[in-house]
Amino acid sequence: MSKRTFSIGGVHPHDNKISRECRIEPLPLAPTVYISVAQHIGAPSVPVVAVGDKVKVGQVIAEPGGFVGAFIHSSVSGTVKSIAPRADLAGRPATHIEIAVEGDEWADGIDTSDTLVTAIPEDAKAIVDKIRLGGVVGLGGATFPTHVKLSPPPGSKCERVIINGCECEPYLTSDFRTLLEKGEQVVVGAALLKKAMGDVPCTIAIEENKPEAIAHIQEVIAKLGYSGIEVMEMKMMYPQGGEKQLIDAVMHRQVGSGALPISVGAVVQNVATALAVYDAVQKNKPIVDNSVTVTGECFPRQANLLVRVGTPLRYIIDYLGGVPEEAAKVISGGPMMGRAVANLDAATVKGTGALLFLTEKQTRRAPESNCIRCGRCADACPMGLEPFLLNKLARAKDWDAMEQNAAQDCIECGCCLYSCPAHIPLLDNIRIGKGAVMGNIRARAAAAKAAAEAAKAAETEKK
Amino acid sequence: MSKLIVSPNPHIHSKDSTKSLMLDVIIALAPAVICSFVFYGWREMLVMAVSVASCVLLEWAITKYMLKKPSTIGDLSAVITGILLALNVPYTTPWWVIVIGSVVAIGVAKMTFGGIGQNIWNPALVGRVFLLVSFPTYMTTWSQPQGLFGADAVTGATPLGAIQEGLMQGASVQDIMAEHGYNYSQMLFANLGGSAGEVCALALLAGFVYLCIRKVIKPWITLSIFATVALVSLVFWGINPARFTDPVFNLLTGGLVLGACFMATDYVTSPMSAWGGVIFGVGIGLLTVLIRYFGSYPEGVSFAILIMNSVVPLINMGFKQKKFGRK
Amino acid sequence: MIKIIIWTVAVITVLGLLLALVLYLVAKKFKVEEDPRIDEVEKVMPGANCGGCGFAGCRAFAESAVKASNLDKNFCPVGGNEVMAKVAAILGYEVQAKAPQVAVVRCNGTCEARPKVNEFDGYASCAVKSLLYTGDTACSYGCLGCGDCVSACQFGALSMNPETGLPVVDQSKCTACGACVKACPRHIIEIRPQGPRGMREFVSCVNKDKGPVAKKACANACIGCGICAKTCTHDAITVEGNIAYIDPSKCKLCRECEAMCPTGAIHGVNFPKPLDKDAVKERIKIRQQKAKEAAAGDAASANNKADATAASPATAKKKVDTPVESPAAAKAKEDKKDE
């Protein structure tokens, strides 16, 4: 079988998986953790504990602020010290719950043993509900609440669950290590997701640069004897892990502009999310920790750490020997789509998958020069857009023309800027334009809705 | 670590830069340049030196004194323009003619539009065509190559020029070819009268293959030019072999290889998409053959490329990549 | 020869006449009926097409002005009262004169006062920067220093001061069109009345952080201490969300707040004389002393009357000191909703 990949664009950055041999090791507990109430897409959660309360590991400390929201659990046991705004990694203030760590006592009902529970519950609704209560969000980076994704709108039907094990970003290895070390749990998690979506087929997509993981998962599937779960070996290509790209690669279906994956019958979940689903459903264990790759050529000690949610970044870095002198940039996530950390005092959130250290030479942007119209950005764009054109339009603030040229489809993967030989900050400008276009689209939708409602009201009045 | 750098994603960049791409093109041109030195000797070296130096100096002077902007000569594009211009003129051209050519190429065709990336027409070709119409004597009298350190040669005409002349006098193509003793292996490996870049098709093709392997250019434009020239001339030749030259002759003479491999594939003045490139190539091929067969100039590649350069914006508008998830 | 000339002239003349006729007929046939006043109004407009009035240019402004029954919704900030008077004369409407306005930059976080804590390495645009994070200083409210406002200004009224890293408004060029206000992602620029002879007093800070946090990020920050509000004898200053705001319609330009501000966040511009802080402080001290004594006296007499309607100045102030939301704060809130 030829290896699959998505049909448009993509780039091949060197994969640099230098921490691939490092086993996932648990990080010792920090003295204090700061758990943000805005760790997911959607409304921030509402704290349900008060200052001075004693909490245990896995205890709910914040409840969803809306349908698109998630439970947040304490990742440590100890005393709530404060509930106050604190700067996140971009420096923006967000409400954090500060907990002073005292011991490591887990809440009742959580199974902390290592025994593998393979029996799949029959009730799909119960699975989704347990996922919701476990505070599971998409750990691939978007942190979209998983139970919302698993509750497709009426009229749409899921035909395939895709477990995203591509890890197409360079440097990152936490998903790879999870597949190797917790493959059984991931496969059970996949089976649970499959069950939740109505026993549809399930594909675990893994890129070709992880042959050990592919072999291991194939073995595990055979051993556990689940039917309808297969491993698909993918060609190496960034951004294969993008939701739309992965669906295109696996199912040869393209999700339309502005549409959800479910519109083509697909539900995509990350490997780490599958593990979290296993924990939440089989073990009653909510998301209290996640594996974080700490890496970079200039970083002396590569590691894959199991980190409690809310651990200050500085604590993690100091545990491994501090920020190296040559490091000029710290990135939360991968080098293509990760976010640069402006504030090392920020704490990890559920979606923190990596801390990457880059030197000035690796990351400093070269000065911009004239566009030579080579078309590399257009060739690289996985959405088939024309970044050079969008960049010009964005600088001219011509939002209407940007919309006509599909700026709103941009997935901000960074391929255009990565491949531009003239070092033009394409994505920076396109992102601004995309924001404006999305704003226009939403305003139009709201206006249309208001007009429709007004018409309806007028009609009822007539009657 | 003093202050952390913060920037939007992506945080890494591919190794490509404008400079590295241009350097690849220069490397790809190297075999042809060396060949021209070997066949034409020190005078060709002089032509090359004058051309490159005047192009680079001119760009430097214009950016510094007229535009008052940081200099752009570091991206090496002026060097390429200089090399291409030198390969496009006969080695007997006087130095001042070459300087005029550089002024037109860099000053008029490139910098007036705003420098690299902004020009509509390939600068080296504009310079070449300007010289062709302004100084036809220098540009159309070619000397038989005499090799490195050889003495000056007897002046003659290029194969295309000779055939054009012969046809006007009423001779048939076969007669003319036999009279001049043209054969194809000679064309492929060099030693035919022409401008420096026309001598060795093989060296140029080697450079083209290098560029394709390095993924600097995509082969579609070049291949579609070759295919179109071959097909169209095949049709005409099939109709009347006495009046029209054959496809192989058309492919190997008159700078077609140089034009198709290095001039038509210039990023700035060629379409962005693959299909746009094919259309562009077909246009160039068609125009080249038509100008050669029916035009008053024996050579058509330069004109064909310049004409197609003009319609590139239209081609770009017409041939866009399919957007993901859209019809 | 003469024949040829005559023929040529004749043919050209006839051709010209024929074509003129065609043009005339076509123009007549496709004529668009338009209110001639639109053209008249457009003629008196400044023609900058800046959009400061809220319309898509001077023509659109003229169209809407002619269509409307009054000029309540139409005001050209660039032309000001002079142009509006002309427009009103053409249309026969009445117009209320507005005080001339100017853009005011409400950030005083100079490079010196507001040290950089990290380094931005992206496209130098405030919009890009603010989308990514809170800027390269510890202040998450102040100027980002990339000059989006400067490039938004069509009149060349804004420039970046390389020393302070902050934009500077050239009052003589500023037309108060508001393009910079829209361009600034941090909403630090406000359109305020120019004030008599250009004199105005404003709080040059928008940092809503609590005092110590704001002060740590920037030495010139408003720390929301409220001394200015207590000093002000005209009820012009409100402190809300750790930030003071001077209401230009109430401010009497006494500069007392400026003298009292502990961080120098309050700025007075275009005053003929530099502020003598000590003298003003002394003046305030004496006044407050007197007020205290008077209050004590009042209280005594009030107690006697057992009818405390005459309140001391302090309590009177408190009554007026209802939290009036400043326009800027309201705008910031609206924008938040939009997000």
Side-chain angles (χ1 to χ4, degrees):
Chain A
M1 195 180 77
S2 69
K3 293 164 194 166
R4 294 191 192 187
T5 188
F6 50 97
S7 49
I8 305 175
V11 292
H12 285 108
H14 191 278
D15 75 346
N16 273 326
K17 308 260 187 198
I18 45 184
S19 56
R20 59 183 297 144
E21 299 304 328
C22 307
R23 289 191 69 84
I24 297 176
E25 51 172 312
L27 177 78
L29 292 177
T32 317
V33 297
Y34 303 88
I35 302 173
S36 169
V37 298
Q39 303 197 14
H40 47 263
I41 286 182
S45 303
V46 185
V48 293
V49 287
V51 176
D53 284 2
K54 295 269 179 203
V55 291
K56 289 179 184 168
V57 184
Q59 181 182 334
V60 173
I61 53 172
E63 284 180 347
F67 174 67
V68 181
F71 281 98
I72 291 169
H73 304 79
S74 176
S75 60
V76 292
S77 63
T79 314
V80 177
K81 284 285 175 201
S82 73
I83 301 173
R86 194 168 187 279
D88 66 4
L89 58 84
R92 292 200 178 89
T95 304
H96 282 69
I97 300 172
E98 177 187 358
I99 303 171
V101 179
E102 296 148 7
D104 192 25
E105 195 182 330
W106 288 66
D108 302 331
I110 297 178
D111 178 2
T112 51
S113 69
D114 283 338
T115 40
L116 188 71
V117 185
T118 54
I120 306 291
E122 274 308 307
D123 186 4
K125 268 225 171 94
I127 295 177
V128 176
D129 205 46
K130 273 196 160 172
I131 289 171
R132 186 176 72 90
L133 291 174
V136 181
V137 296
L139 299 176
T143 61
F144 191 79
T146 302
H147 68 272
V148 181
K149 230 180 186 180
L150 297 180
S151 318
S156 49
K157 200 179 157 292
C158 176
E159 290 165 43
R160 185 176 289 274
V161 171
I162 301 170
I163 304 297
N164 178 3
C166 294
E167 207 161 45
C168 57
E169 280 255 18
Y171 291 100
L172 307 197
T173 53
S174 61
D175 283 357
F176 168 69
R177 291 311 307 182
T178 304
L179 282 171
L180 274 191
E181 295 172 30
K182 295 184 180 161
E184 290 84 357
Q185 288 90 326
V186 170
V187 171
V188 177
L192 288 164
L193 286 166
K194 170 173 142 60
K195 184 83 198 169
M197 297 317 295
D199 247 342
V200 293
C202 173
T203 304
I204 302 176
I206 304 172
E207 277 193 353
E208 61 193 337
N209 60 346
K210 297 179 262 293
E212 309 96 306
I214 295 169
H216 180 67
I217 295 296
Q218 270 164 345
E219 230 169 75
V220 167
I221 293 173
K223 193 174 77 188
L224 295 179
Y226 293 121
S227 62
I229 300 180
E230 51 155 8
V231 176
M232 190 181 278
E233 185 177 0
M234 316 298 291
K235 221 165 134 181
M236 229 179 99
M237 184 79 99
Y238 177 84
Q240 188 122 254
E243 205 169 43
K244 289 184 172 181
Q245 276 63 40
L246 190 59
I247 294 167
D248 183 24
V250 173
M251 298 171 72
H252 297 309
R253 293 181 190 177
Q254 296 194 342
V255 182
S257 169
L260 295 171
I262 194 74
S263 66
V264 296
V267 166
V268 182
Q269 295 291 353
N270 180 265
V271 164
T273 317
L275 177 65
V277 164
Y278 166 84
D279 282 340
V281 177
Q282 306 291 66
K283 299 278 199 176
N284 270 331
K285 183 189 155 205
I287 296 193
V288 294
D289 49 21
N290 55 336
S291 41
V292 177
T293 305
V294 188
T295 183
E297 279 95 344
C298 61
F299 198 67
R301 208 183 133 196
Q302 314 293 322
N304 291 299
L305 296 174
L306 193 64
V307 176
R308 297 287 174 95
V309 173
T311 306
L313 301 182
R314 208 181 279 282
Y315 178 79
I316 304 175
I317 298 165
D318 287 346
Y319 172 73
L320 294 170
V323 182
E325 192 58 38
E326 327 65 292
K329 193 190 258 176
V330 183
I331 298 159
S332 162
M336 294 298 287
M337 275 193 90
R339 300 190 59 188
V341 177
N343 170 22
L344 283 179
D345 291 317
T348 63
V349 292
K350 290 175 186 172
T352 308
L355 280 178
L356 171 62
F357 295 80
L358 293 179
T359 61
E360 175 140 7
K361 197 169 161 248
Q362 284 174 311
T363 187
R364 171 75 74 181
R365 289 200 188 170
E368 176 185 359
S369 56
N370 276 358
C371 171
I372 54 169
R373 296 193 245 165
C374 62
R376 284 172 179 238
C377 54
D379 288 343
C381 180
M383 298 304 288
L385 309 180
E386 290 156 301
F388 61 94
L389 177 66
L390 294 174
N391 171 56
K392 266 187 202 155
L393 293 173
R395 285 194 191 181
K397 298 196 173 19
D398 191 346
W399 309 139
D400 291 338
M402 283 199 84
E403 188 174 342
Q404 279 161 21
N405 284 290
Q408 66 274 24
D409 285 3
C410 172
I411 57 168
E412 305 180 20
C413 62
C415 288
C416 49
L417 182 41
Y418 173 82
S419 54
C420 179
H423 300 272
I424 298 170
L426 297 161
L427 180 57
D428 294 9
N429 288 318
I430 294 170
R431 194 184 279 118
I432 296 290
K434 181 187 168 188
V437 169
M438 296 290 266
N440 285 352
I441 291 174
R442 269 196 292 266
R444 267 206 312 273
K449 203 176 165 190
E453 263 165 31
K456 217 178 187 183
E459 210 154 274
T460 45
E461 217 163 82
K462 258 185 197 170
K463 279 174 190 170
Chain B
M1 186 206 76
S2 50
K3 283 177 201 152
L4 285 181
I5 297 178
V6 184
S7 76
N9 70 314
H11 306 287
I12 51 173
H13 195 277
S14 67
K15 289 195 175 64
D16 294 334
S17 67
T18 306
K19 190 177 169 178
S20 74
L21 295 179
M22 296 298 166
L23 197 64
D24 267 341
V25 176
I26 293 174
I27 292 170
L29 279 166
V33 171
I34 292 167
C35 277
S36 71
F37 288 170
V38 170
F39 292 123
Y40 292 118
W42 63 272
R43 286 194 65 172
E44 172 60 23
M45 290 183 195
L46 196 72
V47 166
M48 185 66 68
V50 169
S51 176
V52 171
S54 57
C55 281
V56 172
L57 270 177
L58 209 65
E59 180 159 329
W60 174 79
I62 289 175
T63 45
K64 184 166 170 90
Y65 295 109
M66 289 172 74
L67 302 176
K68 299 198 168 47
K69 277 182 181 168
S71 172
T72 49
I73 55 167
D75 62 28
L76 301 179
S77 60
V79 176
I80 293 181
T81 304
I83 295 176
L84 286 176
L85 186 67
L87 290 179
N88 262 307
V89 296
Y91 73 102
T92 46
T93 316
W95 66 270
W96 55 271
V97 172
I98 296 169
V99 171
I100 292 175
S102 322
V103 169
V104 174
I106 296 287
V108 178
K110 187 177 177 189
M111 298 315 280
T112 43
F113 289 94
I116 182 171
Q118 311 285 321
N119 48 304
I120 302 170
W121 295 283
N122 186 314
L125 272 182
V126 173
R128 194 251 170 133
V129 167
F130 180 83
L131 294 183
L132 190 64
V133 295
S134 311
F135 306 97
T137 348
Y138 295 122
M139 296 297 290
T140 49
T141 42
W142 314 79
S143 293
Q144 295 293 332
Q146 292 298 309
L148 202 57
F149 311 118
D152 254 13
V154 196
T155 332
T158 59
L160 277 171
I163 285 175
Q164 178 107 354
E165 213 172 291
L167 284 173
M168 267 159 46
Q169 287 159 2
S172 78
V173 172
Q174 289 95 334
D175 294 347
I176 305 163
M177 302 241 317
E179 185 192 324
H180 288 268
Y182 295 143
N183 66 63
Y184 299 134
S185 63
Q186 194 189 7
M187 292 175 189
L188 196 60
F189 294 112
N191 270 336
L192 259 188
S195 55
E198 293 173 22
V199 281
C200 185
L202 210 61
L204 291 165
L205 286 173
F208 169 67
V209 171
Y210 171 80
L211 286 183
C212 289
I213 290 172
R214 295 275 295 162
K215 290 188 177 161
V216 174
I217 56 169
K218 287 185 217 146
W220 313 123
I221 294 175
T222 309
L223 293 183
S224 73
I225 292 174
F226 287 154
T228 313
V229 167
L231 268 177
V232 176
S233 54
L234 184 70
V235 170
F236 279 100
W237 180 64
I239 294 168
N240 186 356
R243 163 76 180 78
F244 301 111
T245 45
D246 62 88
V248 183
F249 179 84
N250 270 310
L251 283 176
L252 293 177
T253 54
L256 184 83
V257 180
L258 178 66
C261 294
F262 290 99
M263 317 274 250
T265 53
D266 170 25
Y267 281 147
V268 179
T269 52
S270 63
M272 297 217 184
S273 64
W275 278 111
V278 170
I279 297 296
F280 179 70
V282 168
I284 291 173
L286 199 63
L287 285 171
T288 303
V289 177
L290 292 181
I291 292 172
R292 280 181 179 181
Y293 283 166
F294 303 109
S296 54
Y297 278 99
E299 164 56 332
V301 178
S302 314
F303 293 104
I305 295 177
L306 287 180
I307 291 168
M308 288 311 286
N309 281 167
S310 323
V311 297
V312 162
L314 289 176
I315 296 177
N316 273 341
M317 258 192 262
F319 290 86
K320 293 195 172 192
Q321 194 171 21
K322 189 185 163 288
K323 292 186 171 63
F324 188 97
R326 286 174 184 245
K327 294 249 164 71
Chain C
M1 187 68 192
I2 290 176
K3 209 176 168 189
I4 295 173
I5 293 173
I6 290 173
W7 267 108
T8 317
V9 169
V11 167
I12 300 273
T13 315
V14 172
L15 249 178
L17 285 174
L18 270 176
L19 289 175
L21 192 71
V22 171
L23 279 178
Y24 170 76
L25 290 174
V26 170
K28 189 135 201 201
K29 176 134 199 263
F30 292 102
K31 191 168 188 256
V32 180
E33 282 299 332
E34 217 172 28
D35 197 324
R37 292 181 302 169
I38 295 178
D39 283 329
E40 282 176 52
V41 172
E42 198 190 353
K43 236 176 241 167
V44 300
M45 304 292 300
N49 289 321
C50 64
C53 53
F55 297 96
C58 294
R59 178 87 190 171
F61 175 91
E63 278 168 13
S64 100
V66 170
K67 225 187 244 172
S69 56
N70 54 49
L71 286 176
D72 290 352
K73 282 186 181 167
N74 295 64
F75 185 82
C76 173
V78 178
N81 292 326
E82 209 178 304
V83 163
M84 289 314 294
K86 282 186 201 160
V87 173
I90 292 167
L91 300 177
Y93 298 151
E94 272 181 28
V95 67
Q96 277 158 351
K98 277 194 185 171
Q101 292 182 309
V102 70
V104 170
V105 178
R106 292 183 301 160
C107 177
N108 192 28
T110 57
C111 301
E112 220 168 79
R114 196 165 53 132
K116 295 208 161 154
V117 292
N118 55 51
E119 193 191 335
F120 178 69
D121 181 35
Y123 180 56
S125 144
C126 305
V128 172
K129 216 167 172 182
S130 78
L131 209 62
L132 174 68
Y133 74 133
T134 56
D136 37 20
T137 68
C139 171
S140 53
Y141 296 91
C143 179
L144 292 163
C146 291
D148 276 16
C149 49
V150 175
S151 42
C153 184
Q154 289 189 17
F155 306 97
L158 277 158
S159 57
M160 293 305 286
N161 181 339
E163 244 167 70
T164 59
L166 296 170
V168 182
V169 182
D170 182 344
Q171 192 181 324
S172 60
K173 288 183 186 161
C174 178
T175 59
C177 69
C180 50
V181 177
K182 276 180 215 148
C184 179
R186 289 295 174 85
H187 309 294
I188 63 168
I189 304 181
E190 187 194 1
I191 300 293
R192 283 172 81 94
Q194 273 185 14
R197 292 191 302 282
M199 294 186 292
R200 55 185 174 272
E201 195 82 24
F202 59 94
V203 181
S204 190
C205 181
V206 290
N207 191 327
K208 291 194 188 102
D209 281 333
K210 279 184 184 152
V213 181
K215 181 87 185 162
K216 198 179 161 200
C218 172
N220 292 349
C222 169
I223 51 174
C225 62
I227 293 177
C228 50
K230 276 179 211 135
T231 311
C232 186
T233 47
H234 315 291
D235 301 326
I237 304 183
T238 46
V239 179
E240 199 193 323
N242 298 317
I243 191 83
Y245 179 77
I246 302 179
D247 184 345
S249 63
K250 290 179 184 163
C251 178
K252 296 284 189 290
L253 303 172
C254 65
R255 303 188 83 181
E256 284 180 359
C257 49
E258 192 183 343
M260 293 300 285
C261 180
T263 60
I266 299 179
H267 283 213
V269 291
N270 295 330
F271 287 94
K273 274 185 266 173
L275 179 66
D276 183 355
K277 281 194 180 180
D278 295 328
V280 177
K281 274 186 185 168
E282 195 59 34
R283 193 173 80 206
I284 296 166
K285 214 175 189 181
I286 296 167
R287 190 183 66 224
Q288 282 173 346
Q289 199 82 38
K290 273 185 188 164
K292 228 179 227 172
E293 282 161 20
D298 271 3
S301 61
N303 276 350
N304 286 348
K305 283 181 185 170
D307 177 19
T309 40
S312 70
T315 48
K317 169 116 55 59
K318 256 184 200 156
K319 263 185 198 165
V320 186
D321 206 354
T322 44
V324 183
E325 204 173 40
S326 70
K331 196 167 181 322
K333 264 192 187 171
E334 260 171 38
D335 286 332
K336 259 196 190 151
K337 263 182 223 157
D338 288 349
E339 282 167 23

